[in-house]
Amino acid sequence: MTLRGPELCYALAARKNARHLSRLYDSHLAPAGLSVSQFSILTLLEEHGTLKISELAVMLVMERTSLVRALKPLQAAGWVVAERQKKERSFNVTLSALGLKKVANAMPLWEKAQAAFEGEVGRNNAIRLRNDILKLNAA
């Protein structure tokens, strides 16, 4: 007997969970004018400083072209600066001073989203889920 059906699909379950988490974090970050995707980009730049677009794309597990599209509104808002180095084809991306302020203002909202998720599943389960997902992504 083969077990099948959409409720058994790992990919569907993961995608449903990703959509749920995105809605949860987006609703908390909305007062800062950020989506969780934008917040992730800004915080990675805050943590790592200047990165090549290709490096940032790897960290986010995103296609480079998708990342370039995602960066445009962040650049337009003045939160991110993308510059091409002399004699290089790639762009380096850096968080601007405005971007640093944006992250600082959004951080308490993100912390509330973290607490809300922990409230839904329990802190220990949330930590275990995150760690299990990170292990999968590292493989």
Side-chain angles (χ1 to χ4, degrees):
M1 178 173 135
T2 303
L3 296 176
R4 58 185 200 176
E7 67 278 356
L8 299 176
C9 179
Y10 300 119
L12 178 59
R15 292 174 72 86
K16 286 170 68 173
N17 187 58
R19 286 190 289 273
H20 171 74
L21 283 172
S22 290
R23 280 194 299 269
L24 175 77
Y25 280 77
D26 286 349
S27 68
H28 280 82
L29 291 167
L34 289 173
S35 70
V36 69
S37 297
Q38 293 171 326
F39 181 80
S40 297
I41 291 168
L42 296 178
T43 56
L44 280 170
L45 289 172
E46 179 188 43
E47 181 178 331
H48 294 281
T50 301
L51 292 169
K52 293 188 181 324
I53 288 179
S54 57
E55 293 170 327
L56 185 56
V58 167
M59 290 177 179
L60 291 163
V61 190
M62 279 181 87
E63 294 295 324
R64 193 185 149 295
T65 54
S66 298
L67 177 58
V68 169
R69 282 192 302 276
L71 285 169
K72 288 187 188 221
L74 302 178
Q75 288 176 268
W79 304 328
V80 170
V81 177
E83 297 176 322
R84 188 184 307 245
Q85 298 301 311
K86 292 178 184 174
K87 300 182 183 179
E88 287 190 30
R89 292 180 52 210
S90 62
F91 282 88
N92 290 334
V93 186
T94 308
L95 200 58
S96 69
L98 278 175
L100 286 168
K101 281 185 182 179
K102 182 56 88 171
V103 170
N105 290 336
M107 192 58 70
L109 302 171
W110 174 83
E111 290 168 350
K112 288 179 182 176
Q114 290 277 99
F117 182 65
E118 289 175 356
E120 286 182 6
V121 300
R123 187 172 193 325
N124 290 338
N125 282 337
I127 292 168
R128 183 186 51 75
L129 285 166
R130 181 199 57 222
N131 292 343
D132 287 347
I133 291 167
L134 289 173
K135 281 184 212 170
L136 286 172
N137 288 324

